[in-house]
Amino acid sequence: MDEVFKALADASRRSLLDRLHAKNGQSLNELCEGLEMTRQAVTKHLVILEEANLVTTIRHRREKLHYLNPVPIHQIGERWIRKFERGKLAALSELKRQLEKRDE
Amino acid sequence: MDEVFKALADASRRSLLDRLHAKNGQSLNELCEGLEMTRQAVTKHLVILEEANLVTTIRHRREKLHYLNPVPIHQIGERWIRKFERGKLAALSELKRQLEKRDE
DNA sequence: ATAATAGGCAACCAAATGGTTGCATGTCAA
DNA sequence: TTGACATGCAACCATTTGGTTGCCTATTAT
């Protein structure tokens, strides 16, 4: 679990997860597009995400495709949120979402 | 949100959250007990947790009492987990919990 | 009044981290 | 086969981070 938190600590890695959340199964070079980092930097980040089991990869031809794995993220909440609190928190964020939506 | 992830990245800080989850509203010195860190190190960690809004404090006499705030933790899951995935993941971890319980 | 308790501030240090450059390897297309 | 494309590996560097020590302030109890 330690690796998961370390992996999520960096903004670049979180934005890589965002990209995969938006479009799953991207190759390294695809994930590099539009970023101001070197490909090698992105590689390093992806390795860290893989080791944390937040990203799974499969090779297809010469490409390595990356997929987001939401399981470890889901487990985070289970550590510090009691069961009876979940409902209230969910209701709270739904309310927040509605209020923000109203201002669009 | 960046501060939340940074704050959660460190194992010492996570164990402080664990302690508050077990017993809410502890003072600095209470939180220091049994740890192999200096009080000043713990102070630094608590400041980081406060800035991330993961811990709220109130002063009572000369003591500063610390409380766990689960809201930012709850928000993490909302970022990368689609609504339709939540049910499955919750079922999965419940299953896992049951299986682990069986081995006790 | 004074000692003990609870906490705060600042300077300093070693280790970890995020990034770069340069080169190597494997695979596909013409 | 040969060049282009997709990825991998390693050395190196600046900055951040977690921790320490030393000293200071505020509040409580005797």
Side-chain angles (χ1 to χ4, degrees):
Chain A
M1 202 78 252
D2 190 280
E3 292 171 304
V4 175
F5 290 105
K6 292 268 182 191
L8 290 176
D10 183 78
S12 303
R13 287 193 288 270
R14 291 196 300 275
S15 89
L16 285 171
L17 292 182
D18 288 337
R19 283 175 161 237
L20 290 178
H21 186 240
K23 184 187 174 190
N24 222 355
Q26 297 186 62
S27 73
L28 171 58
N29 276 302
E30 205 173 349
L31 283 168
C32 287
E33 278 169 27
L35 294 183
E36 303 143 13
M37 261 182 295
T38 342
R39 176 179 56 80
Q40 286 80 352
V42 176
T43 301
K44 281 193 179 183
H45 286 308
L46 288 173
V47 167
I48 290 171
L49 290 169
E50 283 178 61
E51 284 172 351
N53 198 27
L54 283 161
V55 163
T56 311
T57 62
I58 56 167
R59 293 206 75 108
H60 181 256
R61 309 265 178 177
R62 53 177 167 172
E63 291 184 337
K64 190 176 183 184
L65 303 181
H66 300 78
Y67 293 86
L68 174 59
N69 176 21
V71 174
I73 295 167
H74 182 259
Q75 292 172 337
I76 293 175
E78 311 231 314
R79 179 159 175 179
W80 294 294
I81 303 182
R82 297 182 201 286
K83 219 186 280 176
F84 69 84
E85 286 175 313
R86 273 174 232 281
K88 292 177 191 173
L89 287 168
L92 200 62
S93 33
E94 178 59 18
L95 174 64
K96 182 162 168 281
R97 216 176 55 77
Q98 293 295 332
L99 289 173
E100 285 168 353
K101 200 168 148 191
R102 207 186 52 183
D103 295 335
E104 286 171 4
Chain B
M1 203 76 251
D2 189 281
E3 292 171 304
V4 174
F5 290 104
K6 293 267 182 190
L8 290 176
D10 183 78
S12 304
R13 286 193 288 271
R14 291 197 299 274
S15 88
L16 286 171
L17 293 182
D18 287 338
R19 284 174 159 238
L20 290 178
H21 186 241
K23 182 186 174 192
N24 222 355
Q26 296 186 64
S27 72
L28 171 59
N29 275 299
E30 206 173 348
L31 284 168
C32 287
E33 278 168 26
L35 295 184
E36 304 142 13
M37 261 182 296
T38 342
R39 177 177 54 81
Q40 286 78 355
V42 177
T43 301
K44 281 193 180 183
H45 285 308
L46 288 172
V47 168
I48 291 171
L49 290 169
E50 282 177 61
E51 285 173 351
N53 198 29
L54 283 161
V55 163
T56 311
T57 63
I58 57 166
R59 293 204 76 108
H60 180 255
R61 309 262 179 179
R62 54 178 166 173
E63 291 184 333
K64 190 176 182 183
L65 304 180
H66 300 76
Y67 294 87
L68 173 60
N69 176 21
V71 174
I73 295 166
H74 182 259
Q75 292 172 338
I76 293 175
E78 312 231 313
R79 178 160 176 178
W80 293 294
I81 304 180
R82 297 183 202 285
K83 220 186 281 176
F84 68 84
E85 285 175 315
R86 295 228 165 86
K88 292 178 192 172
L89 287 168
L92 201 62
S93 33
E94 178 59 18
L95 174 63
K96 183 162 167 282
R97 216 176 56 77
Q98 292 295 333
L99 290 173
E100 285 167 354
K101 199 168 147 189
R102 208 185 51 182
D103 298 335
E104 286 173 2

